[in-house]
Amino acid sequence: MVYPDYVTVLGIFVILLCSFLGTYLPMQFRYRSFFKEDTMLFRSIKLFGTGIILSIAFIHMIIPADHILTSEYSYSFFNEQYPSFTGVLVIFGIVITHFLQVYTSHIIYQNSGYQAHEEISGSETTLSVGGEEKNEMDITNEKIEWNDKPHGMRLEPTSIPMTSVTISNSNSNSNSSSSLDGCSENQHNLLYLMEHEEKQIVCYLLEIGISLHSILIGIAFGMTMDEELITLMVALMFHQFFEGVSLSSVFIEAHFRRSTAIFIMIITYSCTLPLGGFIGLFIRKMIESTNSLYLVVQGIIDAVAGGILIYDDVVNILSRHCNSKLFRHSSLSSKSIQLLAFYFGIITMAIVGMWA
């Protein structure tokens, strides 16, 4: 049975709606007390979506890309001379993502460090430590360990004899103490800012990988016209909804100052698969899906995008989540629930992979 074009168009709009709801609903619920970042519900849904993305990368992208590149319709380089070239493309996606993240993070730290120096170099406080005078910046850099509270600091007992520390300034002791507190607050806020700027980089990289993947599966959907069309449409509805939930949870944790980035994310994610669907609908009118160039381009992009998603998912989302202070200080039952949500996300998309 071959379905007419209007069924494909209707399916594209239904998938667009599911994609929109998957990204929009978490953004609306983030202001509710039951969906705050430190709640069990939010963190479990985040790891559930993380498992979905990891499963998508392997089952829906890398393995199909390998089948495409090694098929009889592909070029001889891929199916005869180098049949494992898909692995090279996946590694390339991982390496290029790591490269971009390392150097963009370096630029952020450089710029933020320079701004911090400009902010706190205006006033120096002189401290006398055991008869030796040191300014405020020396004490800050050498003797102070910062804890997680904005105004909290502690001095190493072996480094500075507390009985011999005196603070001298042209004003008063209270002014010197206030200056130190201000310095500690500046550094804490700086670290907080850089952490969220790094998370924002992760969001952009994740969005790129998911967008490439969404366009490709949209093309595949648009080119489908037989009895698999309805099954594929239902599978993609679940696929896009839960993947959107995961993407939104990452954007929520990045704390974007402006809502423009979130708005662009919702629109981009919602429209990429429908865009691919219309492209696929056009392609199926023009060329055969067995065209060698079409297959090779699809396989290469799918493999590289799969590598991008694997790196972002494992390194930037799962690893950061499991090494966060909130997760480390959680009870064993809390950790187990979150990890079960992660495993359930993997299993869910593995089951969906039977149809899409």
Side-chain angles (χ1 to χ4, degrees), residues 279-293:
I279 293 174
L281 193 62
F282 174 77
I283 289 176
R284 88 181 188 192
K285 299 289 186 181
M286 302 296 295
I287 62 175
E288 294 290 333
S289 60
T290 56
N291 181 277
S292 296
L293 180 60

Side-chain angles (χ1 to χ4, degrees), residues 17 37 103 121 157 166 171 180 192 208 228 231 236 246 249 282-283 312 317 341:
L17 177 62
E37 292 178 44
Y103 282 92
S121 61
T166 58
N171 298 319
L180 278 175
Y192 181 84
I208 291 171
E228 295 181 357
T231 305
L236 289 178
S246 177
S249 67
F282 174 77
I283 289 176
D312 275 328
I317 302 178

Side-chain angles (χ1 to χ4, degrees), residues 40 44 47 327 330-343:
M40 175 67 68
S44 297
L47 283 192
F327 184 85
S330 300
S331 64
L332 183 60
S333 59
S334 175
K335 292 177 181 176
S336 299
I337 292 173
Q338 294 177 57
L339 292 178
L340 284 174
F342 171 68
Y343 302 144

Side-chain angles (χ1 to χ4, degrees), residues 5-23 221 229-242 269-275 277-278:
D5 292 348
Y6 75 85
V7 177
T8 302
V9 174
L10 178 62
I12 289 173
F13 282 103
V14 171
I15 293 172
L16 186 151
L17 177 62
C18 292
S19 302
F20 174 77
L21 292 176
T23 50
F221 176 76
L229 180 64
I230 301 300
T231 305
L232 182 61
M233 180 180 69
V234 175
L236 289 178
M237 288 167 57
F238 286 98
H239 176 289
Q240 289 297 106
F241 180 83
F242 288 114
Y269 179 77
S270 301
C271 294
T272 46
L273 192 145
L275 175 63
F278 284 113

Side-chain angles (χ1 to χ4, degrees), residues 3 38 59 73 92-93 99 103 117 132 184 190 194-195 237-238 243 249-250 252 273 280 297 301 329 346:
Y3 289 97
D38 57 350
I59 299 174
Y73 303 105
F92 175 77
F99 175 86
Y103 282 92
H117 176 74
E132 181 183 356
S184 65
L190 172 63
M194 289 190 292
E195 177 186 355
M237 288 167 57
F238 286 98
E243 191 176 53
S249 67
V250 176
I252 289 173
L273 192 145
V297 171
I301 295 178
H329 292 174
I346 294 175

Side-chain angles (χ1 to χ4, degrees), residues 50 53-54 57-58 94 206 307-323 342:
T50 302
I53 293 177
L54 187 62
F58 281 102
I94 294 173
L206 190 63
I308 292 173
L309 288 185
I310 289 174
Y311 180 89
D312 275 328
D313 196 68
V314 175
V315 176
N316 292 325
I317 302 178
L318 182 62
S319 178
R320 285 175 184 264
H321 180 92
C322 294
N323 287 296
F342 171 68

Side-chain angles (χ1 to χ4, degrees), residues 90-322:
V90 173
I91 293 173
F92 175 77
I94 294 173
V95 169
I96 196 65
T97 307
H98 179 255
F99 175 86
L100 289 173
Q101 183 171 345
V102 167
Y103 282 92
T104 50
S105 299
H106 175 76
I107 293 172
I108 287 175
Y109 272 101
Q110 267 198 330
N111 293 340
S112 300
Y114 176 77
Q115 293 172 2
H117 176 74
E118 291 295 323
E119 289 177 2
I120 63 180
S121 61
S123 61
E124 288 190 354
T125 305
T126 304
L127 284 79
S128 176
V129 182
E132 181 183 356
E133 288 191 350
K134 289 181 177 288
N135 60 32
E136 177 186 327
M137 292 300 297
D138 293 334
I139 294 295
T140 301
N141 294 332
E142 297 175 11
K143 305 298 182 184
I144 295 178
E145 294 180 353
W146 303 99
N147 62 20
D148 294 320
K149 297 180 181 179
H151 298 283
M153 60 181 180
R154 64 179 183 273
L155 300 176
E156 297 179 2
T158 57
S159 301
I160 302 178
M162 297 302 294
T163 56
S164 63
V165 176
T166 58
I167 302 176
S168 60
N169 196 358
S170 57
N171 298 319
S172 64
N173 291 343
S174 60
N175 290 336
S176 300
S177 178
S178 300
S179 179
L180 278 175
D181 284 343
C183 177
S184 65
E185 183 174 7
N186 284 338
Q187 291 201 12
H188 179 273
N189 292 337
L190 172 63
L191 293 175
Y192 181 84
L193 174 64
M194 289 190 292
E195 177 186 355
H196 289 298
E197 285 182 340
E198 282 192 300
K199 287 183 178 180
Q200 290 168 13
I201 294 173
V202 171
C203 290
Y204 297 135
L205 294 175
L206 190 63
E207 177 74 12
I208 291 171
I210 290 177
S211 297
L212 290 174
H213 164 61
S214 296
I215 289 176
L216 290 174
I217 61 176
I219 291 174
F221 176 76
M223 295 183 68
T224 303
M225 64 180 75
D226 54 17
E227 62 276 359
E228 295 181 357
L229 180 64
I230 301 300
T231 305
L232 182 61
M233 180 180 69
V234 175
L236 289 178
M237 288 167 57
F238 286 98
H239 176 289
Q240 289 297 106
F241 180 83
F242 288 114
E243 191 176 53
V245 170
S246 177
L247 183 62
S248 291
S249 67
V250 176
F251 268 75
I252 289 173
E253 284 196 325
H255 293 282
F256 284 91
R257 293 182 178 180
R258 300 179 180 178
S259 57
T260 306
I262 296 175
F263 175 77
I264 293 174
M265 179 273 295
I266 294 175
I267 297 301
T268 302
Y269 179 77
S270 301
C271 294
T272 46
L273 192 145
L275 175 63
F278 284 113
I279 293 174
L281 193 62
F282 174 77
I283 289 176
R284 88 181 188 192
K285 299 289 186 181
M286 302 296 295
I287 62 175
E288 294 290 333
S289 60
T290 56
N291 181 277
S292 296
L293 180 60
Y294 166 77
L295 288 175
V296 167
V297 171
Q298 181 182 359
I300 289 175
I301 295 178
D302 231 356
V304 173
I308 292 173
L309 288 185
I310 289 174
Y311 180 89
D312 275 328
D313 196 68
V314 175
V315 176
N316 292 325
I317 302 178
L318 182 62
S319 178
R320 285 175 184 264
H321 180 92
C322 294

